[in-house]
Amino acid sequence: MQTFGSPLTSVARKALLCGSGELGKEVVIELQRYGIEVIAVDRYANAPAMQLAHRCHVIDMLDAAELRRVIELEKPDWIIPEVEAIATPELVKLEEEGFNVIPTAKAALLTMDREGIRRLAAETLGLPTADYRFADTYEEFRTAVAQVGIPCVVKPVMSSSGHGQSTVKCAEDIDRAWQVAQEGGRAGAGRVIVEAFVNFDYEITLLTVRHKAGTTTLEPIGHHQVDGDYRESWQPQPMTPAAMEKARQIAVSITGALGGLGIFGVEMFVKGDDVIFSEVSPRPHDTGMVTMISQDLSEFALHARAILGLPVPAIRFFGPSASKAIVVEGDTDKVVFSNLEKVLEEEDVQIRLFGKPEVRGHRRFGVLLARGGSVEEALAKVERAYAKLKVETLPR
């Protein structure tokens, strides 16, 4: 039986988040509903989750010694990785010493880079994937492109939100793709994956919850990306019964191999009745922000329940829904939003502003959410809301 005390008391249960962005912020909210004392950790100050947590630490999470120092200082009941860029080998050691890593240190290690999870899926589990090669040098990269063929997709082995990802559509794109991948990796320049371009009808994220009573998959989420960065998502994505069953089997297989409790975002390509595994995140997924309006228990609420060993008896789906990312471009620490009274005048429309402290280049600063009688209607609602939103970037 789980016990729950009050934060900042001697009987408090503590959760430490490694990564404190907008997804972590929602996890903090859900954990605090159960009286959990939350410590937020990230590489920069005033990250969204830090603005709500009971305490925070700013460290280089790729520095194993710094990561260990903070964890040993805080002695959390749960260590919750929320990004890929963490010294995961140190998490493995900490788990061996008795710390509880969510969902497991193995899952964090394998999914921190695309190589670990791709080899697990394709070579260990035998799941259908795109043809792929890995490369450490420019020469190896050129060879990998030749072997996989053009068109192909190039990504750093460790990145998030599409950073460093590009598509090689012709020979002239090869050098640029290498440069983009070297600049966009979470750990800096280094190893890349070259994937054959998959001819698919649509992409999905199948949110999959491993909880104490078993494994539950949610309604499939369709999404649109720009250079690998999510811009819109909708739920449910229409699928044939055969494709849906294959997707469920893939999701249960890969999450079962990773183990532990929590929510996983399993990304797949779908062509007719065929389903191809792409990636998996052992944490809430950005495309899953649509669940903040589409369900009674969002992906963040489900993650918290699963982590805490609480039951997930039913998940009520409210109907067709959509989300649209609010992406800001510029170089400033002064981003101002206005006209929200018009944005929210239409029924079943919501907005979340993340409170990020600055932007350099482009960055997701919020999300618009809507429900409708159909997916098309929900998407039209978020587009109308987005058109009304005013965003101003002021000089530093």
Side-chain angles (χ1 to χ4, degrees), residues 16-20 41 61 67 71 79-83 86 91:
L16 183 144
L17 270 66
C18 295
S20 301
V41 181
M61 292 183 296
L67 185 63
I71 290 171
I79 300 169
I80 308 174
E82 285 296 311
V83 295
I86 304 170
L91 291 183

Side-chain angles (χ1 to χ4, degrees), residues 22-23 205 207 220-225 229-236 285-294 299-300 317 319-327 348-352 354 364 366-372 374-386:
E22 62 266 32
L23 305 183
T205 302
L207 292 173
I221 296 170
H223 49 87
H224 167 233
Q225 297 182 346
D229 193 7
Y230 139 81
R231 295 300 170 92
E232 294 94 25
S233 68
W234 53 90
Q235 190 184 29
H285 199 273
D286 51 7
T287 63
M289 284 191 281
V290 68
T291 62
M292 288 190 283
I293 197 167
S294 68
E299 63 171 340
F300 311 104
F317 183 64
S321 304
S323 77
K324 183 174 181 65
I326 300 168
V327 179
D348 294 327
V349 173
Q350 299 179 19
I351 189 171
R352 304 285 192 276
F354 303 146
R364 200 162 52 216
V367 66
L368 287 157
L369 307 163
R371 280 197 307 271
S374 65
V375 163
E376 291 75 18
E377 183 182 332
L379 282 166
K381 277 189 179 183
V382 292
E383 288 294 342
R384 287 194 295 270
Y386 188 77

Side-chain angles (χ1 to χ4, degrees), residues 58-76:
V58 177
I59 66 169
D60 177 0
M61 292 183 296
L62 288 167
D63 185 324
E66 274 291 278
L67 185 63
R68 173 176 283 273
R69 178 186 65 78
V70 168
I71 290 171
E72 290 183 340
L73 173 69
E74 294 289 358
K75 297 179 174 58

Side-chain angles (χ1 to χ4, degrees), residues 338-352:
S338 61
N339 210 36
L340 267 64
E341 61 274 16
K342 292 294 184 182
V343 170
L344 298 173
E345 66 184 358
E346 197 169 352
E347 66 179 19
D348 294 327
V349 173
Q350 299 179 19
I351 189 171
R352 304 285 192 276

Side-chain angles (χ1 to χ4, degrees), residues 43-111:
R43 59 187 173 82
Y44 67 97
N46 301 321
M50 289 180 175
Q51 297 166 25
L52 300 178
H54 295 96
R55 285 186 303 289
C56 59
H57 299 270
V58 177
I59 66 169
D60 177 0
M61 292 183 296
L62 288 167
D63 185 324
E66 274 291 278
L67 185 63
R68 173 176 283 273
R69 178 186 65 78
V70 168
I71 290 171
E72 290 183 340
L73 173 69
E74 294 289 358
K75 297 179 174 58
D77 297 279
W78 300 276
I79 300 169
I80 308 174
E82 285 296 311
V83 295
E84 294 88 351
I86 304 170
T88 46
E90 197 65 24
L91 291 183
V92 173
K93 295 177 184 177
L94 289 160
E95 186 177 74
E96 291 171 350
E97 294 167 19
F99 285 97
N100 182 13
V101 180
I102 300 299
T104 64
K106 170 189 172 183
L109 182 66
L110 286 173
T111 58

